[in-house]
Amino acid sequence: MSLRGKVALVTGSTSGIGLGIARCLATEGADIMLNGFGDASQIEALRSEMEASHGVKVAYNGADISKPDQIAAMVAETAKTLGSVDILVNNAGIQFTANVEDFPTERWDQIIAINMSGVFHGMKAAIPGMKAKGWGRIINIASAHGLVASAQKVAYVAAKHGVMGMTKVAAIELANSGVTVNAICPGWVLTPLVEKQLQDRATRDGTTIEFQSHAMVAEKQPMHKFTTPEQIGGLAVFLCSDAAATMTGVPLSIDGGWVAQ
Ligand code: NAD
């Protein structure tokens, strides 16, 4: 299977799962628009290394996914510089944990803006170009928390359930347009987002990060293993293939059995 000639925009791809997905799509030949925060020289080094190792075009846009106008401008710039947006992976996301009554309002607003509204604005901007070409793949990175809840994650769980809802709506609207819309629902993946939670738990309980990495995974997943960004990238590549052409509106769990319970 080859994605040569396709262009993929992956939000939040300077780190973690987004970077894993961008690398897997580039390995299949897709040109890539990277997005996300980070040190400018490190991002440029990543961009040029990906171009050289995968033999594809790789560009970067630093749009802040909490800002609708910046998302629309990034989609327009991708179409202008790389030719189109054929694959949109809405992946950028953040986390913050506290009980509902202690949850800071500004953190709620920020998580809803990035993890949920950002997905809506990305789809809104990219859909017209995909419909015009009669082919498109929208892959929303939700979470096991798009399907079930955990304590202390009210904004994250609300946002990810919202992503599941909008994935289904867009899938129905686009059912006969050649554009599919699906969500990937990972369990634990060892990325900077999760490393922070491990660090917080180790500090709180006076234990080591190694102890917490086992405890945290075992608490939720029957399978005591982290999923890797590359395994999620493999699923994204599958969703772009012809084999997945009639899959739409689906939450795809890749979570070590988390939501099977
Ligand atoms: P990460 O912290 O490693 O990466 C997050 C990426 O998003 C980074 O590139 C960061 O720069 C970018 N980002 C953050 N805020 C942004 C903003 N306002 N504008 C643009 N970019 C922004 O985290 P990750 O674990 O790779 O998470 C990626 C996605 O996967 C998130 O949506 C997260 O909710 C989801 N997810 C993660 C896990 C996990 O266990 N790590 C599990 C399920 C779902």
Side-chain angles (χ1 to χ4, degrees):
M1 199 208 101
S2 172
L3 294 176
R4 206 152 285 282
K6 305 283 191 216
V7 176
L9 164 54
V10 186
T11 71
S13 46
T14 52
S15 163
I17 293 173
L19 179 55
I21 293 173
R23 279 197 186 283
C24 288
L25 294 173
T27 301
E28 295 297 323
D31 294 326
I32 304 290
M33 178 60 87
L34 293 171
N35 160 258
F37 297 149
D39 174 78
S41 59
Q42 282 179 9
I43 293 172
E44 174 48 27
L46 170 68
R47 192 202 62 74
S48 55
E49 175 268 311
M50 279 181 70
E51 245 182 12
S53 47
H54 300 294
V56 298
K57 287 187 210 149
V58 181
Y60 167 74
N61 183 295
D64 179 341
I65 299 301
S66 70
K67 305 276 187 320
D69 54 336
Q70 293 189 25
I71 297 173
M74 173 171 62
V75 168
E77 194 209 306
T78 307
K80 194 168 164 215
T81 57
L82 297 176
S84 54
V85 177
D86 305 297
I87 300 161
L88 171 66
V89 184
N90 286 305
N91 164 81
I94 57 168
Q95 178 62 284
F96 184 82
T97 57
N99 286 332
V100 174
E101 70 270 31
D102 302 322
F103 213 91
T105 300
E106 60 276 16
R107 291 286 191 180
W108 165 271
D109 289 343
Q110 197 188 20
I111 290 177
I112 296 298
I114 297 168
N115 295 19
M116 192 177 83
S117 301
V119 177
F120 162 72
H121 294 295
M123 293 200 296
K124 183 177 175 181
I127 284 170
M130 292 180 178
K131 275 170 90 170
K133 283 184 82 174
W135 194 95
R137 294 286 184 269
I138 298 175
I139 302 170
N140 296 327
I141 305 306
S143 167
H145 286 119
L147 302 168
V148 295
S150 295
Q152 300 204 307
K153 294 189 174 173
V154 65
Y156 189 86
V157 169
K160 296 298 188 182
H161 276 68
V163 168
M164 276 319 312
M166 70 179 87
T167 297
K168 292 176 190 172
V169 171
I172 293 166
E173 289 179 5
L174 295 167
N176 294 301
S177 67
V179 181
T180 67
V181 190
N182 293 291
I184 295 180
C185 298
W188 290 120
V189 185
L190 193 52
T191 66
L193 183 141
V194 165
E195 281 159 10
K196 172 156 190 328
Q197 292 175 63
L198 288 173
Q199 182 63 64
D200 291 348
R201 283 171 61 123
T203 308
R204 185 195 66 198
D205 299 350
T207 51
T208 61
I209 294 206
E210 291 68 35
F211 173 83
Q212 287 299 345
S213 17
H214 180 78
M216 198 171 79
V217 174
E219 222 169 71
K220 296 289 183 185
Q221 296 188 188
M223 190 185 291
H224 300 168
K225 253 188 198 169
F226 287 100
T227 297
T228 65
E230 293 69 28
Q231 287 168 328
I232 296 174
L235 191 48
V237 166
F238 169 71
L239 284 171
C240 294
S241 74
D242 282 345
T246 61
M247 287 177 69
T248 200
V250 178
L252 287 147
S253 290
I254 175 162
D255 67 358
W258 184 327
V259 305
Q261 298 164 101

